[in-house]
Amino acid sequence: MVHTISTLDELKGKFSESKDKLVVLDFFATWCGPCLRIAPVIEGWSGEDDFKDNVVFLKCDVDEAEDVAKEYEIEAMPTFVLFKGGKEVDRVVGASSDSLKAAITKNK
Amino acid sequence: MPPTKDADEKSIANLVEKYIDENDVMIFSKSWCPYCKKIKDALKSAKIEFHSIELDKMDEGDQIQKELFKKTKQETVPNIFIKQQHIGGCDKTLEALKSGRVATLLNPPESERKHKKVDNDDLDSKDADEKANANLVEKYIVENDVMIFSKSWCPYCTKVKDALRSAKIEFYSIELDKMGRDLSLFKLLIYIFIYYLAEGDQIQNALINKTEQDTVPNIFIKQQHIGGCDKTLEALKSGRVATLLNPPESEKKHKKVENDDLDSYDYDLIVIGGGSGGLACSKEARSFEKKVCVLDFVKPTPIGTTWGLGGTCVNVGCIPKKLMHQASLIGEYVHDSVDYGWSQLDQARQHSWSKMIESIQQYIRSLNFKYRVDLRSKGVTYENSYGEFLSPHRLKLTDKKGKTKEITGEKIVVAVGGRPKYPDIEGDQQYGITSDDLFSLKYDPGKTIVVGASYVALECAGFLHGIGREVQIFVRSILLRGFDQQMASKIGDYMSTIGMKFHYQRIPTRLECLEEGKPGKLRLHYRQTLESGEIEESYEDCNTVLFAIGREACTNELNLDKIGIEVNKANGFKIKTKEEQSIDIPWLYAIGDCIDEQTMPPGQPLELTPVAIQAGQLLAKRMFSNSTIKMDYYNVPTTVFTPIEYGAIGYSEEDALSKFGEDNIEIFHSEFVPLEWSICHHRDQVKTMSYCKLIVDKNTDRVIGFHVLSPNAGEITQGYALGMRLGATKNDFDMTIGIHPTCAENLTTLSVTKSSGDSAAQEGC
């Protein structure tokens, strides 16, 4: 299950809820082809045993949530930002599921 | 260089008086003059504010200098006035500074002082004296066009304020019941802060003394006492309020010429409009490390269409147009494919409007995003708000939620572009669409009537037909007004031959909706002038009516008239400029589609993205560095992307004939067949319609006009534009070796002249 974030407050709320768990935030756009292609892959991961108890998957539409996108200086989509304890620990730009999986595995 | 206005002596004298009257310290200066700089520095050190104008930078500078000599017998600069007293030049003013005379002039003894600000000192006890209150009341009345002395709980006060708001009349009100011991901050719309400690009661007393009215609301309009709620509502109804607020031209006083002190502006540059011109100008300004703000806001079309950052070109112009043109060309290639050996493509040919729109809109939205990121990364502040002038340096911004704020800019560039016109007939905005709507239309337009003969009309009609929709074109008089008419008529011939129906002398009169739907069924009523001269009234049914009858600049809701800028009503409400600077106000500039620019070739509207971009960039360089490079509006290459494309550079045949005369020009021309079409049976009827011509000045052999009608004319014309810019002669064209086989090479082998009467048909290879 990938939750949608629309405001910075919502995001901060998710950070507190998640405590020390790895949070993966997918910045996408509805008009971005690669974003649409990788979305179901991530949806799948969020239910898998490997990830479902220790990684929190979130997503954010850059047009709907402009201030969140601005806060994290998103310039291309998709951009995946990884957080621990509310601080950014890594980011992956582009729809490479291999690179993303590697980053998740490394940081969780 | 002749002056921009026929400024006559009297208006110059008035202008000089105005500058002297409206500035406590007024310096007539020249930008290169060291004495001017010396005295300005001295005043700055003494923390004395002044206003200066640079006569060498003004067209009427010479005349002003003459007027000053007449007035003061001083012919040099700096020529300085303090509180309307002539002081003299640099030396005399330095002396006056030293002796204390300047200080005395600026701060006369108490009895002579006119109140501008009300200081704390005057009213710091509960028993604020009567005079101070009377002065305060006067100040409110003088400084606000519509002044309401009110009380917060009073229903009549609320009533009259609501009425004024509905009539969109701005007012200022103070709540007398809320005035007490605590510091209340009142910021007037355009003026400085007032701090005071006075009782509301005492204000009310002062009002009674002045007007013999003891109730609230007590209302003044343009310093005239109107009365209470009832009297004011009556005045609103009778039109008296409107007359008071907008007196006849001769009574209008010019607004104050604002101080150009650098410290008082929020931005070095504000650009109104985030389109091709606005974005280019703002980004260029950043390379000089100026503080820049761009305002962009799209007012939705009558049917609610809107779009993001980037302006007309990106959202509802060049970009989607070219992509749809390409969609229609692909449809033609599918027809061609049979003769090239492809099978079954033609039969399977189908076009989905929604798929095309989806692809195009996705791309456009990625551009909107890219531009936002681009501005951010370059440090330009972007406000998605509608900007309106409150005063020459101050704008009111309104965002899409209705929230407002104000910003000031030392320089302001207006780059608001234009929007399509409606014909002003019944049903036009309700049931008709324009190019603003077409490029994101959520439903297939079906059978379409295009009203208009502009390049927008012909391009849209062209690609709609190319993707398989039935198209009719209603033309009032001629095709492509302002363009070479021989080429325009060839375009018309081509489009008719491939199946589009043109109806000439046909003017729409009413648009009716027969059936709602997406698309619905519409009935366009029209009046047609027949060949016999008779007028016929009839109608045509269709699914969509596209109005493409011209565009107008978006200048009517900026409050330009409030700051003294006039727009050209006879030319799309465009702002008059010279070298992109307003002819009315020196720190206001304008670029792009919204300008009526003196240095542009007459009769040739250059509403093009690259023109706006180049003008914007050169302007930024001139504003913020010592660049003097001006925009050259001549020999701008253009292309119309009709089904057969038309590229042009320089003079049309008509303009060349009228400027140079028949005896002085020679026209070389040729028809040709694009090789790629030569084997396509479906192109049989149009094969020989490609055509090109060069217009040559006989005396110099220079090519002054380039015209090509051909597939890929856009790409062809861009290449030759470089040659035209470098002053290519007919001999240069002839000595340039062509690339074979291309359409472009035809421009290098022209030998048949119009004057010879020989056929222009191509012979062999």
Side-chain angles (χ1 to χ4, degrees):
Chain A
M1 183 60 206
V2 183
H3 293 274
T4 306
I5 293 286
S6 335
T7 64
L8 280 167
D9 284 340
E10 269 181 55
L11 182 59
K12 290 194 164 56
K14 283 290 176 193
F15 285 151
S16 349
E17 258 180 57
S18 319
K19 298 206 201 329
D20 285 329
K21 277 197 234 173
L22 179 66
V23 175
V24 178
L25 177 51
D26 170 9
F27 285 94
F28 70 94
T30 53
W31 36 262
C32 160
C35 300
L36 299 173
R37 285 194 284 279
I38 199 172
V41 175
I42 301 174
E43 190 69 48
W45 291 348
S46 67
E48 275 171 33
D49 288 334
D50 259 358
F51 302 123
K52 68 173 192 252
D53 293 319
N54 46 16
V55 182
V56 177
F57 288 94
L58 306 173
K59 65 185 175 187
C60 177
D61 180 339
V62 300
D63 289 326
E64 289 300 305
E66 270 184 54
D67 24 347
V68 188
K70 210 158 124 171
E71 175 74 19
Y72 293 101
E73 296 182 346
I74 303 303
E75 299 198 351
M77 277 70 68
T79 293
F80 302 94
V81 185
L82 283 68
F83 301 88
K84 264 228 168 130
K87 286 202 168 55
E88 176 174 342
V89 296
D90 205 348
R91 92 170 37 194
V92 175
V93 179
S96 162
S97 44
D98 288 341
S99 311
L100 180 58
K101 203 167 206 188
I104 293 176
T105 312
K106 187 172 94 168
N107 288 289
K108 76 175 170 144
Chain B
M1 203 76 197
T4 50
K5 314 190 237 204
D6 288 339
D8 63 338
E9 259 189 58
K10 189 162 190 293
S11 63
I12 292 287
N14 287 344
L15 184 63
V16 167
E17 277 316 307
K18 179 160 97 98
Y19 277 121
I20 296 172
D21 280 351
E22 293 188 348
N23 297 287
D24 281 0
V25 181
M26 181 61 208
I27 307 179
F28 294 90
S29 163
K30 285 190 183 170
S31 59
W32 47 257
C33 162
Y35 295 102
C36 298
K37 182 171 187 321
K38 186 171 177 184
I39 189 60
K40 284 177 194 168
D41 286 349
L43 288 168
K44 276 187 194 130
S45 305
K47 290 201 178 7
I48 293 174
E49 286 181 6
F50 59 86
H51 184 72
S52 68
I53 57 173
E54 310 306 316
L55 299 182
D56 54 324
K57 290 201 179 298
M58 297 169 76
D59 278 309
E60 56 270 69
D62 280 353
Q63 290 164 292
I64 293 181
Q65 200 162 1
K66 280 198 184 82
E67 175 60 33
L68 284 168
F69 176 68
K70 227 166 104 180
K71 196 178 160 60
T72 65
K73 294 282 177 276
Q74 180 188 326
E75 51 180 277
T76 51
V77 287
N79 197 336
I80 301 169
F81 293 78
I82 298 182
K83 286 269 182 152
Q84 296 82 48
Q85 292 241 45
H86 180 242
I87 307 297
C90 176
D91 286 350
K92 291 218 171 103
T93 311
L94 284 175
E95 219 177 280
L97 251 178
K98 207 160 145 193
S99 71
R101 185 176 168 221
V102 172
T104 311
L105 280 168
L106 288 175
N107 293 298
E110 192 66 41
S111 51
E112 292 173 37
R113 208 196 289 206
K114 288 208 181 75
H115 277 276
K116 276 253 153 198
K117 283 202 303 204
V118 174
D119 290 335
N120 264 347
D121 296 334
D122 289 342
L123 316 146
D124 58 10
S125 72
K126 194 171 180 169
D127 306 307
D129 64 74
E130 256 187 65
K131 188 164 193 282
N133 283 319
N135 285 340
L136 187 60
V137 164
E138 271 318 303
K139 183 172 161 52
Y140 277 123
I141 294 169
V142 162
E143 292 189 344
N144 296 292
D145 280 0
V146 180
M147 181 61 208
I148 307 179
F149 295 91
S150 162
K151 286 189 181 173
S152 60
W153 45 258
C154 161
Y156 294 104
C157 298
T158 308
K159 186 171 178 188
V160 75
K161 285 176 196 167
D162 286 349
L164 288 168
R165 275 192 205 107
S166 307
K168 291 199 185 346
I169 292 173
E170 287 181 8
F171 58 85
Y172 187 76
S173 68
I174 58 172
E175 309 308 317
L176 301 181
D177 57 317
K178 287 202 176 296
M179 293 162 110
R181 284 298 232 151
D182 45 347
L183 266 173
S184 301
L185 262 158
F186 288 85
K187 181 178 174 180
L188 299 179
L189 279 175
I190 319 177
Y191 302 85
I192 329 150
F193 284 98
I194 301 175
Y195 289 79
Y196 70 103
L197 300 159
E199 289 284 1
D201 281 351
Q202 292 176 305
I203 302 283
Q204 204 158 1
N205 286 338
L207 284 168
I208 294 171
N209 285 343
K210 188 178 169 66
T211 64
E212 292 181 57
Q213 179 186 328
D214 59 354
T215 52
V216 287
N218 198 335
I219 300 169
F220 293 78
I221 297 181
K222 285 265 182 165
Q223 298 82 51
Q224 293 237 46
H225 179 241
I226 307 298
C229 175
D230 285 350
K231 290 220 171 103
T232 309
L233 288 177
E234 218 177 277
L236 250 177
K237 204 159 147 205
S238 72
R240 189 178 164 217
V241 171
T243 311
L244 281 167
L245 289 175
N246 293 300
E249 194 67 45
S250 53
E251 289 174 39
K252 241 191 249 200
K253 287 209 183 73
H254 276 278
K255 289 243 145 176
K256 186 179 144 112
V257 175
E258 290 205 23
N259 193 310
D260 63 357
D261 181 348
L262 260 168
D263 293 346
S264 61
Y265 301 107
D266 299 323
Y267 294 97
D268 297 312
L269 173 66
I270 299 176
V271 178
I272 311 180
S276 307
L279 293 180
C281 185
S282 62
K283 291 191 284 191
E284 185 68 36
R286 281 297 298 153
S287 69
F288 300 102
E289 285 168 29
K290 295 296 167 185
K291 194 153 180 243
V292 184
C293 179
V294 168
L295 311 178
D296 188 68
F297 192 89
V298 179
K299 291 208 163 168
T301 69
I303 66 170
T305 312
T306 183
W307 51 87
L309 180 63
T312 296
C313 173
V314 164
N315 294 285
V316 286
C318 332
I319 303 288
K321 174 267 294 283
K322 189 81 186 303
L323 290 171
M324 292 198 180
H325 171 61
Q326 183 69 2
S328 80
L329 291 181
I330 292 172
E332 289 178 24
Y333 298 148
V334 172
H335 284 317
D336 290 343
S337 69
V338 177
D339 291 307
Y340 280 92
W342 294 93
S343 55
Q344 294 174 12
L345 284 180
D346 209 8
Q347 299 92 296
R349 209 184 92 124
Q350 267 184 72
H351 184 271
S352 157
W353 175 266
S354 61
K355 177 66 191 155
M356 177 179 73
I357 293 286
E358 186 191 314
S359 307
I360 291 175
Q361 284 302 315
Q362 282 198 349
Y363 178 61
I364 290 175
R365 291 179 68 188
S366 76
L367 289 180
N368 297 141
F369 185 84
K370 183 164 100 83
Y371 289 140
R372 282 209 312 275
V373 167
D374 199 18
L375 286 183
R376 203 163 67 221
S377 71
K378 293 204 159 67
V380 176
T381 305
Y382 163 53
E383 297 272 6
N384 186 203
S385 298
Y386 193 83
E388 292 166 276
F389 282 94
L390 291 174
S391 66
H393 288 278
R394 183 179 292 263
L395 291 159
K396 176 170 103 169
L397 272 53
T398 310
D399 72 9
K400 52 186 163 210
K401 297 197 179 108
K403 228 173 76 183
T404 62
K405 75 177 183 198
E406 289 174 21
I407 57 173
T408 56
E410 194 185 348
K411 292 193 201 297
I412 303 188
V413 173
V414 177
V416 295
R419 295 288 288 263
K421 288 204 290 218
Y422 282 86
D424 201 16
I425 59 175
E426 191 186 321
D428 60 354
Q429 294 191 24
Q430 232 182 326
Y431 306 117
I433 63 169
T434 67
S435 56
D436 280 356
D437 305 297
L438 182 64
F439 297 113
S440 57
L441 204 62
K442 290 191 172 48
Y443 54 86
D444 190 316
K447 175 178 168 190
T448 304
I449 297 175
V450 175
V451 178
S454 57
Y455 72 84
V456 175
L458 297 186
E459 286 175 345
C460 290
F463 65 67
L464 284 170
H465 175 266
I467 58 174
R469 308 309 184 268
E470 190 188 328
V471 177
Q472 291 189 25
I473 306 170
F474 284 17
V475 177
R476 190 184 57 179
S477 61
I478 59 172
L479 299 181
L480 295 174
R481 186 176 296 277
F483 288 81
D484 185 291
Q485 283 299 293
Q486 179 196 21
M487 304 308 282
S489 100
K490 282 183 179 288
I491 292 173
D493 287 343
Y494 182 94
M495 289 171 71
S496 311
T497 309
I498 63 173
M500 277 173 273
K501 293 193 175 45
F502 285 85
H503 298 288
Y504 288 87
Q505 308 263 52
R506 194 175 273 199
I507 301 178
T509 51
R510 177 162 73 98
L511 181 54
E512 199 189 330
C513 176
L514 298 177
E515 221 179 275
E516 302 244 335
K518 286 185 188 308
K521 278 213 187 80
L522 303 176
R523 176 165 291 179
L524 183 58
H525 297 261
Y526 61 81
R527 185 177 301 134
Q528 168 123 34
T529 309
L530 303 171
E531 273 185 56
S532 56
E534 264 177 83
I535 303 218
E536 176 192 64
E537 304 224 352
S538 184
Y539 62 80
E540 186 75 46
D541 290 350
C542 62
N543 299 119
T544 299
V545 172
L546 175 74
F547 293 111
I549 57 173
R551 296 174 67 87
E552 274 171 354
C554 299
T555 50
N556 58 356
E557 284 173 42
L558 292 173
N559 283 342
L560 287 174
D561 50 334
K562 215 176 180 187
I563 59 171
I565 300 247
E566 285 187 34
V567 296
N568 190 344
K569 292 191 178 75
N571 184 7
F573 300 96
K574 296 180 180 184
I575 298 171
K576 293 190 180 179
T577 59
K578 179 168 178 242
E579 292 165 16
E580 298 85 44
Q581 185 175 26
S582 158
I583 60 175
D584 297 306
I585 292 190
W587 60 83
L588 195 134
Y589 304 82
I591 51 175
D593 289 3
C594 73
I595 70 177
D596 177 10
E597 167 61 47
Q598 288 196 11
T599 62
M600 268 193 205
Q604 215 183 91
L606 287 170
E607 293 160 3
L608 301 165
T609 281
V611 169
I613 291 177
Q614 174 103 306
Q617 290 171 337
L618 293 177
L619 176 64
K621 290 193 170 93
R622 291 199 307 276
M623 286 194 291
F624 299 117
S625 76
N626 51 17
S627 163
T628 52
I629 302 174
K630 296 192 251 237
M631 178 67 189
D632 181 359
Y633 288 99
Y634 281 78
N635 282 333
V636 172
T638 64
T639 296
V640 181
F641 292 99
T642 31
I644 188 168
E645 297 177 13
Y646 164 43
I649 312 169
Y651 285 87
S652 66
E653 194 170 326
E654 294 85 11
D655 286 347
L657 281 168
S658 90
K659 174 140 193 206
F660 292 82
E662 202 179 331
D663 294 335
N664 296 310
I665 63 173
E666 190 75 82
I667 299 173
F668 294 84
H669 67 160
S670 175
E671 289 172 4
F672 57 90
V673 177
L675 179 63
E676 294 83 354
W677 291 9
S678 57
I679 66 172
C680 301
H681 284 99
H682 109 270
R683 305 251 192 203
D684 279 344
Q685 305 234 288
V686 295
K687 256 192 251 240
T688 54
M689 287 185 165
S690 289
Y691 174 85
C692 62
K693 70 180 174 184
L694 291 179
I695 305 173
V696 182
D697 175 357
K698 273 190 188 159
N699 297 314
T700 59
D701 201 38
R702 259 194 76 165
V703 176
I704 58 170
F706 169 105
H707 302 268
V708 62
L709 183 72
S710 155
N712 304 307
E715 304 291 354
I716 298 173
T717 307
Q718 180 71 86
Y720 283 108
L722 178 57
M724 293 289 283
R725 189 183 153 75
L726 296 174
T729 60
K730 176 68 169 59
N731 192 49
D732 288 324
F733 271 78
D734 293 342
M735 292 302 281
T736 302
I737 300 192
I739 299 172
H740 188 70
T742 63
C743 293
E745 63 174 310
N746 285 282
L747 278 306
T748 65
T749 54
L750 294 173
S751 55
V752 175
T753 60
K754 276 199 180 182
S755 56
S756 68
D758 292 342
S759 160
Q762 196 180 51
E763 293 163 11
C765 175

